[in-house]
């Protein structure tokens, strides 16, 4: 017999898709508040959110007559027709969260709209509707979800410990604060333990709230537009890494998502600077025309599909590489440079979530939330005075290049207000550009004069080679130990990369052209990119439908294994233009590694000198594989070893 399931049973089954754990409920409730136009949202949880979740907003509210509809499956105010799906600007649209939540918990909703003199409350327990009763409350909506999964013990068993669930909620709130920077969010565990409080003051303030000033100082603040995609964010400097991926946030059109295309693009841009198990820190916010993004991919709406992955990858990859590699274009991307780019320890900002120690340095000003059911009571509106704990953060100068121009090119210090006119901005911008180009030219000239002796910032004294592996130097009050192999490898690699980048690639014709076979799809892919390969120094021709021949390759790649090289390129499932330079770069890296001075090679004084000249006192360098090239030990440290000082 085939049964048509009752609404209650159906809701409980479908609840599994969206409502897996407390954090998924918080996400849905929070997003409903955002969709309702709220700019203040209060979230609190108890017992990891299993005992209680409370979300209150100052959004548009729900009319009395609509209160029941909130809990009907596929009831939504956000969509009417299938065409609307093409242009979704709200976070929710499936109309399944509220009925799902109410079917597996005791849920209470109170709401007041502008039209109502008073609010109304409806309780739904395990899908059973109560009466709609008057309830005094401010404009907006408050939802309380109690006793999650009380009627589905099997699901309850799948939850983690209260503490682990609580951490999941806190992680989620971080992402929600970051993706809703113009919304004031107050998040507490229990009534009084405020974990995060943001004030809706914009993206930077949101990043500061979540990660703190120390982290922001180590980041580039970027903002640019590429191929119609606006990219904004904070990306860690080349010496600032985390030991896991949780410090990576991707926001697309205000929606926090996980996305492989963007994550891979960022990862690849950082690849040169990363060691094993190091992960870059970033908060990236992309704005793309909604018609090119399909958000209706997963029930939880945490993934999206781009109409053109390739463009998104390219925009993100090129933006971030330009910034990290310090290309001249970075001028148009970087808003604020990191305050420091020195080698920093891998510090994990660990949020404290225990009851006694809130993560934010609480100044005692956080007011406890009001008793929850009586929504009529005003909760303290977040004010900036509570934000004082970050005033010790040195607010970065707005746009670094402008500051530089003002200082060194003695441009009249235009009053800030004048900058608001487009022409003034244009002028400053042009001058900045000219100035930065000058700097860039100087930098190049310096780089090109490779034979020049070492710049003499602090006098360097070469002590010698130790253990036929390390060079030992003295520089000011520091002792420097250099890994000769890593240093040489990095120098060779930089040289190769510069040549590839500047298209000054010397080609070498092959005595016997190298032929390889491909299938039809591969043949099309290669054929379309023959010019691209030529630019990279690889002359390729198609012989017939299934055979290609290589006639010339870059001098620096002559002894690579071409079989492996092309199979690497063709096996790369996505085979994107962006991945070819990465593969070439890897080959160059191997090449650099092979031809570099080995550890165990004993070096003459003049060999040491020429290596040091090439290194140009760039002690912060890492080898192409990400290992450090130099280690500095200060006099103080050494003095401590010998207990000269304590
Ligand atoms: P969806 O968000 O996909 O529309 P939900 O089940 O999450 O579906 O919510 C159903 C409807 O309830 C929403 O479309 C909205 O009209 C209403 N609603 C839910 N939460 C709120 C809120 N906080 N403020 C105003 N309206 C809300
Ligand atoms: Mg919703």
């Amino acid at each position: 017999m085939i049964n048509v399931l009752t609404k209650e049973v159906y809701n409980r089954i479908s609840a599994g898709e969206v409502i897996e754990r407390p954090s998924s409920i918080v996400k849905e409730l929070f997003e409903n508040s955002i969709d309702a136009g709220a700019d203040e949202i209060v979230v609190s949880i108890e017992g990891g959110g299993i005992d209680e979740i409370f979300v209150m907003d100052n959004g548009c509210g729900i009319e009395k007559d609509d209160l029941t509809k909130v809990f009907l499956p596929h009831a939504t105010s956000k969509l009417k027709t299938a065409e609307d799906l093409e242009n979704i600007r709200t976070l929710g649209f499936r109309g399944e969260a509220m009925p799902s939540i109410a079917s597996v918990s005791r849920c209470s909703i109170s709401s007041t709209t502008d039209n109502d003199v008073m609010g109304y409350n409806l309780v739904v327990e395990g899908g059973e509707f109560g009466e709609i009763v008057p309830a005094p409350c401010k404009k907006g909506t408050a939802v309380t979800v109690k006793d999650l999964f009380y009627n589905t013990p099997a699901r309850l068993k799948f939850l983690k410990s209260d503490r682990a669930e609580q951490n999941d909620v806190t992680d989620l709130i971080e992402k929600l604060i970051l993706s809703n920077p113009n919304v004031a969010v107050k998040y507490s565990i229990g009534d009084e333990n405020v974990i995060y409080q943001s004030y809706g003051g914009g993206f930077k303030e949101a990043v500061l709230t979540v990660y703190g000033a120390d982290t922001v100082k180590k980041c580039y603040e970027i903002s640019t537009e590429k191929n119609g995609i606006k990219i904004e964010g904070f990306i860690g400097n080349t010496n600032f890494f985390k030991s896991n991926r949780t410090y990576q946030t991707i926001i697309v059109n205000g929606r926090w998502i996980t996305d492989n295309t963007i994550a891979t693009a960022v990862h690849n841009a950082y690849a040169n600077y990363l060691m094993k198990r190091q992960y870059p820190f970033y908060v990236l916010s992309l704005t793309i025309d909604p018609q090119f993004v399909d958000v209706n991919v997963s029930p939880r709406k945490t993934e999206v599909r781009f109409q053109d992955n390739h463009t998104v990858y390219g925009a993100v990859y090129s933006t971030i590489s330009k910034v990290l590699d310090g290309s001249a274009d970075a001028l148009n991307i970087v808003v604020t440079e990191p305050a420091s780019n020195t080698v920093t320890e891998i510090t994990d900002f660990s949020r404290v979530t225990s009851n006694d120690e809130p993560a934010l340095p609480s100044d005692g000003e956080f007011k406890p939330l009001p008793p929850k059911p009586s929504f009529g009571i005003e909760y303290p509106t977040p004010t900036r005075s509570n934000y004082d704990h970050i005033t010790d953060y040195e607010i970065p100068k707005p746009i670094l290049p402008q500051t530089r121009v003002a200082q060194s090119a003695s441009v009249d210090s235009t009053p800030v207000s004048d900058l608001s006119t487009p022409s003034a901005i244009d002028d400053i911008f042009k001058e900045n550009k000219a100035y930065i180009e000058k700097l860039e030219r100087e930098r190049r000239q310096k780089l090109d004069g490779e034979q020049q002796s070492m710049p003499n910032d602090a006098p360097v004294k070469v002590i010698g080679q130790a253990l036929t592996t390390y060079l030992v130097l003295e520089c000011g009050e520091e002792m420097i130990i250099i890994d000769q192999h890593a240093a040489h490898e990095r120098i060779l690699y930089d040289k190769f990369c510069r040549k590839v980048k500047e298209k000054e690639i010397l080609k070498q014709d092959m005595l016997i052209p190298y032929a390889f076979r491909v299938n039809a799809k591969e043949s099309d892919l290669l054929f379309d990119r023959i010019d691209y390969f030529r630019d990279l120094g690889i002359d390729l021709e198609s012989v017939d439908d299934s055979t290609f021949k290589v006639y010339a390759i870059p001098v620096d790649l002559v002894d690579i294994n071409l079989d492996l090289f092309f199979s690497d390129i063709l096996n790369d499932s996505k085979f994107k233009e962006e991945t070819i330079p990465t593969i070439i770069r890897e080959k160059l890296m191997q090449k650099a590694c092979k031809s570099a001075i080995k550890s165990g090679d004993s070096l003459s004084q003049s060999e040491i000198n020429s290596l040091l000249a090439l290194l140009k006192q760039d002690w912060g360098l890492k080898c192409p594989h990400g290992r450090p090239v130099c280690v500095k030990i200060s006099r103080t440290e050494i003095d401590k070893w010998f207990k000269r000082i304590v």
Side-chain angles (χ1 to χ4, degrees):
M1 190 172 76
I2 298 178
N3 292 318
V4 176
L5 299 179
T6 62
K7 188 182 77 206
E8 284 73 22
V9 179
Y10 168 80
N11 281 346
R12 270 206 217 177
I13 296 171
S14 68
E17 281 186 42
V18 252
I19 305 306
E20 204 183 26
R21 48 188 3 105
S23 61
S24 24
I25 297 188
V26 173
K27 179 170 186 287
E28 293 296 337
L29 298 181
F30 191 100
E31 292 185 345
N32 280 346
S33 297
I34 296 287
D35 286 345
D39 60 9
E40 278 174 26
I41 301 175
V42 175
V43 180
S44 74
I45 61 166
E46 261 164 44
I50 304 163
D51 295 345
E52 188 179 312
I53 294 168
F54 170 75
V55 176
M56 174 163 72
D57 66 53
N58 66 348
C60 64
I62 304 161
E63 301 282 346
K64 182 185 176 201
D65 292 347
D66 277 344
L67 266 188
T68 343
K69 284 195 216 144
V70 168
F71 297 100
L72 298 180
H74 308 299
T76 177
S77 52
K78 302 166 195 174
L79 280 186
K80 251 196 187 138
T81 64
E83 288 78 59
D84 292 347
L85 263 177
E86 303 292 315
N87 236 320
I88 296 165
R89 282 169 203 266
T90 52
L91 296 166
F93 51 84
R94 303 170 70 104
E96 55 188 14
M98 294 305 292
S100 304
I101 294 169
S103 69
V104 292
S105 70
R106 302 182 213 274
C107 182
S108 156
I109 188 164
S110 295
S111 200
T112 308
T113 64
D114 267 342
N115 307 331
D116 290 326
V117 205
M118 66 182 327
Y120 292 91
N121 170 272
L122 171 65
V123 173
V124 186
E125 287 198 3
E128 297 280 325
F129 284 65
E131 295 273 297
I132 295 182
V133 292
C137 58
K138 296 200 320 170
K139 185 201 154 199
T141 305
V143 180
T144 313
V145 176
K146 284 191 175 175
D147 305 328
L148 181 61
F149 298 145
Y150 79 99
N151 55 352
T152 49
R155 306 263 313 270
L156 193 60
K157 270 196 282 187
F158 278 104
L159 292 182
K160 298 180 275 187
S161 68
D162 285 10
R163 189 161 188 93
E165 294 297 345
Q166 174 185 300
N167 284 343
D168 277 359
V169 175
T170 308
D171 285 345
L172 168 80
I173 295 286
E174 291 177 358
K175 306 290 184 195
L176 293 174
I177 291 177
L178 294 170
S179 51
N180 296 283
N182 297 320
V183 176
V185 180
K186 182 168 182 172
Y187 165 61
S188 57
I189 291 172
D191 273 357
E192 300 193 7
N193 183 15
V194 178
I195 304 295
Y196 285 125
Q197 180 151 17
S198 73
Y199 298 91
F203 195 36
K204 184 168 208 156
E205 195 179 279
V207 180
L208 277 166
T209 304
V210 174
Y211 293 113
D214 272 353
T215 296
V216 172
K217 272 187 206 164
K218 292 177 199 144
C219 293
Y220 291 94
E221 181 181 357
I222 59 169
S223 172
T224 187
E225 186 158 341
K226 181 132 187 148
N227 306 334
I229 302 170
K230 193 164 173 217
I231 303 175
E232 289 167 291
F234 289 79
I235 62 170
N237 72 42
T238 50
N239 281 313
F240 175 46
F241 298 107
K242 294 293 183 182
S243 51
N244 61 62
R245 284 197 184 82
T246 51
Y247 298 84
Q248 308 185 337
T249 307
I250 301 171
I251 298 157
V252 170
N253 293 350
R255 193 185 291 271
W256 160 61
I257 56 154
T258 54
D259 182 74
N260 252 338
T261 304
I262 299 176
T264 313
V266 183
H267 184 88
N268 287 347
Y270 271 96
N272 271 344
Y273 304 98
L274 294 172
M275 286 217 270
K276 274 211 176 104
R277 284 178 290 282
Q278 282 187 335
Y279 302 90
F281 169 95
Y282 60 86
V283 183
L284 272 189
S285 174
L286 273 65
T287 313
I288 308 176
D289 188 331
Q291 58 173 323
F292 301 126
V293 191
D294 181 4
V295 290
N296 193 16
V297 179
S298 68
R300 276 172 238 150
K301 302 174 264 88
T302 48
E303 284 162 48
V304 298
R305 195 177 293 132
F306 299 112
Q307 201 180 60
D308 185 0
N309 268 341
H310 193 123
T311 309
V312 175
Y313 179 99
V316 174
Y317 176 82
S318 72
T319 299
I320 298 189
S321 341
K322 278 176 187 161
V323 172
L324 300 180
D325 301 345
S327 96
D329 276 359
L331 161 70
N332 302 324
I333 301 171
V334 175
V335 178
T336 313
E337 296 221 12
S340 64
N341 193 14
T342 48
V343 181
T344 45
E345 281 170 41
I346 306 175
T347 39
D348 268 353
F349 175 84
S350 54
R351 188 187 54 236
V352 186
T353 42
S354 90
N355 268 346
D356 346 325
E357 297 170 86
L360 284 184
S362 167
D363 48 12
E365 278 194 60
F366 290 131
K367 310 275 189 312
L369 289 171
K372 271 168 273 160
S374 24
F375 299 131
I377 302 172
E378 290 275 323
Y379 63 90
T381 308
T383 61
R384 282 192 162 266
S385 66
N386 289 0
Y387 209 53
D388 287 348
H389 62 274
I390 59 157
T391 49
D392 61 345
Y393 173 61
E394 191 195 324
I395 302 289
K397 315 274 178 319
I399 295 181
L400 185 77
Q402 290 183 2
T403 324
R404 282 205 192 135
V405 172
Q407 282 165 358
S408 48
S410 66
V411 169
D412 280 355
S413 43
T414 322
V416 178
S417 55
D418 286 355
L419 288 179
S420 56
T421 64
S423 65
I425 289 173
D426 266 9
D427 285 352
I428 291 272
F429 204 69
K430 266 187 213 138
E431 289 189 60
N432 285 343
K433 208 163 174 175
Y435 175 66
I436 295 291
E437 277 165 7
K438 185 174 141 244
L439 283 186
E440 179 67 14
R441 267 196 309 277
E442 283 169 6
R443 200 178 68 92
R444 285 214 178 166
Q445 278 162 6
K446 216 167 134 194
L447 275 176
D448 288 343
E450 280 191 348
Q451 293 314 314
Q452 80 186 34
S453 59
M454 281 181 20
N456 254 346
D457 290 334
V460 174
K461 189 167 141 202
V462 180
I463 308 211
Q465 187 190 31
L467 311 170
T468 55
T469 302
Y470 303 105
L471 308 180
V472 183
L473 322 178
E474 182 190 306
C475 179
E477 285 295 278
E478 282 171 318
M479 202 166 102
I480 297 166
I481 305 177
I482 299 174
D483 178 328
Q484 63 187 40
H485 172 70
H488 196 207
E489 201 184 353
R490 172 69 200 223
I491 292 164
L492 292 176
Y493 173 66
D494 280 353
K495 209 164 119 192
F496 291 149
C497 285
R498 220 166 30 242
K499 280 197 252 172
V500 173
K501 224 178 188 169
E502 291 166 7
K503 307 223 168 96
E504 289 167 6
I505 307 162
L506 272 185
K507 284 185 203 177
Q508 176 159 329
D509 289 338
M510 302 186 67
L511 278 178
I512 307 161
Y514 162 82
F516 62 101
R517 294 179 70 81
V518 290
N519 64 28
K521 198 165 153 238
E522 291 167 339
S523 165
D524 284 350
L525 287 167
L526 284 178
F527 196 81
D528 288 347
R529 287 167 179 79
I530 283 185
D531 286 345
Y532 189 77
F533 278 104
R534 187 171 308 123
D535 284 348
L536 293 168
I538 300 165
D539 287 352
L540 198 65
E541 266 175 40
S542 135
V543 181
D544 56 43
D545 280 353
S546 60
T547 318
F548 275 80
K549 274 189 179 170
V550 181
Y551 292 92
I553 54 167
V555 173
D556 290 323
L557 290 175
V558 270
D559 44 9
I560 64 164
N561 179 335
L562 282 172
D563 273 334
L564 212 63
F565 178 66
F566 280 99
S567 80
D568 278 356
I569 287 185
L570 292 168
N571 284 341
D572 193 311
S573 57
K574 287 166 204 133
F575 189 79
K576 292 192 208 110
E577 273 163 20
E578 288 82 359
T579 63
I580 301 173
T582 311
I583 293 167
I584 291 181
R585 206 182 299 175
E586 269 163 27
K587 301 290 165 196
L588 290 176
M589 223 154 93
Q590 289 161 6
K591 179 80 196 307
C593 184
K594 263 202 212 134
S595 32
I597 302 166
K598 297 278 168 305
S599 86
D601 287 352
S602 74
L603 301 182
S604 69
Q605 190 60 40
S606 71
E607 282 168 325
I608 295 179
N609 285 345
S610 60
L611 186 62
L612 292 177
L614 292 171
L615 197 57
K616 297 189 180 70
Q617 293 196 30
D618 200 348
W619 311 133
L621 280 182
K622 292 189 175 184
C623 84
H625 305 94
R627 289 190 299 273
V629 166
C630 312
V631 171
K632 283 202 241 178
I633 308 166
S634 68
R635 172 188 282 276
T636 328
E637 246 169 296
I638 301 176
D639 285 349
K640 276 187 190 160
W641 297 345
F642 296 99
K643 308 268 181 252
R644 283 172 172 271
I645 53 171
V646 279

